[in-house]
Amino acid sequence: MPIAKSQMGETVQAGVGKSSQEQERGGFGGVFTVTCFDTDGNLKWEDSFHNLVVNEGLQDLNNKYFKGVTYSAAWYLGLVTGPGSGTTYNAGDTLATHAGWTEYTDYSGNRKAVTFGSPTLADPSVIDNSGSPSVFTVTAPGGTVAGAFLCNVASGTSGVLFSEGDFTGGDKTVAAGDTLNVTYTFSADAA
């Protein structure tokens, strides 16, 4: 079932083998923050929105953390535009197959590398790229951006899609020369 824009919160909980009265739960999820500046450096708009960690992303997380499958710290942010009739996200989406959205590519270069800082030693533990946001420079004369996604390849469809999300206030208009600064914040808690 596709996830509509209004359902974009993502919390995953897991129980630990205790009695039902003292069961511990953990959760994790991410938030994208996108800030758009015009060619003169003026703020045009800003939006923060929760993501959907897709099935492929959950499997990748488990494989790398618990199974020790080959790991690379390479992560990339991409931008989303709708298919023309509204954007939807599905837990079964992959980079190769995502019927509810298309990738927005009217910016210079490939998807932008993510440089994460050190995770916090707290509950929740948080990691983000706020110290070095991923920067997109729009090259098209005009268009709309609907959201963002996180994956492990700079281009193409052969990599792993980890998460995807949609703006909370609807699609945003961009113009040539606009700069979009994108951060991704991922947190895991034991609450």
Side-chain angles (χ1 to χ4, degrees):
M1 174 175 167
I3 305 297
K5 290 182 183 184
S6 62
Q7 299 172 304
M8 290 318 303
E10 173 70 13
T11 301
V12 176
Q13 296 184 342
V16 177
K18 291 190 172 195
S19 73
S20 61
Q21 294 175 337
E22 20 176 84
Q23 189 164 35
E24 295 201 18
R25 296 184 175 260
F28 65 84
V31 173
F32 293 99
T33 300
V34 181
T35 307
C36 180
F37 296 93
D38 67 16
T39 56
D40 295 322
N42 299 310
L43 178 65
K44 287 179 70 172
W45 51 263
E46 181 175 27
D47 202 346
S48 290
F49 48 99
H50 290 276
N51 71 174
L52 168 67
V53 178
V54 297
N55 296 341
E56 182 177 55
L58 296 172
Q59 180 187 38
D60 188 61
L61 179 78
N62 283 331
N63 268 331
K64 290 179 177 161
Y65 192 81
F66 293 108
K67 298 282 292 174
V69 174
T70 304
Y71 176 73
S72 169
W75 290 103
Y76 299 88
L77 286 167
L79 300 174
V80 169
T81 189
S85 60
T87 309
T88 57
Y89 300 92
N90 188 304
D93 285 350
T94 67
L95 278 177
T97 307
H98 44 78
W101 58 272
T102 57
E103 183 171 358
Y104 179 86
T105 58
D106 290 331
Y107 54 83
S108 60
N110 292 322
R111 297 174 190 138
K112 304 308 175 187
V114 179
T115 303
F116 285 110
S118 297
T120 60
L121 180 61
D123 185 12
S125 180
V126 176
I127 192 167
D128 63 36
N129 66 321
S130 62
S132 182
S134 299
V135 179
F136 296 80
T137 302
V138 177
T139 57
T144 58
V145 180
F149 64 93
L150 180 71
C151 66
N152 70 350
V153 291
S155 63
T157 60
S158 63
V160 173
L161 175 64
F162 184 78
S163 67
E164 53 193 15
D166 216 5
F167 292 130
T168 58
D171 294 353
K172 308 292 185 192
T173 302
V174 292
D178 285 355
T179 301
L180 282 71
N181 295 330
V182 184
T183 61
Y184 184 70
T185 303
F186 188 78
S187 62
D189 66 60

